[in-house]
Amino acid sequence: MLIRDCGIDAAPGWQQVLAAGRERWRLRQFRTAVRDLQDEAAAVLRAHGWEVTSPDAEYSPQVQPYRTW
């Protein structure tokens, strides 16, 4: 927005850099959500035809980060 709407100077290739950073951020967020909510992730995968088995280790969902702003 700053570059397009406000005319802020930008180096050539800024769009590719921004897209790559956005992809890294979204993948990091996705991995964190899967780690925190493994049962939810497994349910989605199963709904799409994946075979998912639970590990032998005990697991507790980490929902607190999703309750705070």
Side-chain angles (χ1 to χ4, degrees):
M1 180 192 96
L2 291 175
I3 295 168
R4 289 188 181 166
D5 296 344
C6 298
I8 301 294
D9 291 337
W14 68 267
Q15 291 171 311
Q16 291 79 17
V17 172
L18 183 63
R22 184 178 293 130
E23 182 179 347
R24 280 192 312 275
W25 173 253
R26 288 181 174 170
L27 287 172
R28 183 179 302 134
Q29 291 297 309
F30 170 74
R31 289 180 181 124
T32 300
V34 169
R35 181 200 63 211
D36 291 346
L37 304 169
Q38 294 171 25
D39 293 334
E40 294 292 328
V44 170
L45 288 170
R46 286 184 186 111
H48 288 277
W50 288 73
E51 291 183 26
V52 180
T53 57
S54 300
D56 292 334
E58 209 170 302
Y59 161 74
S60 294
Q62 302 298 317
V63 296
Q64 188 58 36
Y66 302 93
R67 293 179 178 160
T68 58
W69 183 247

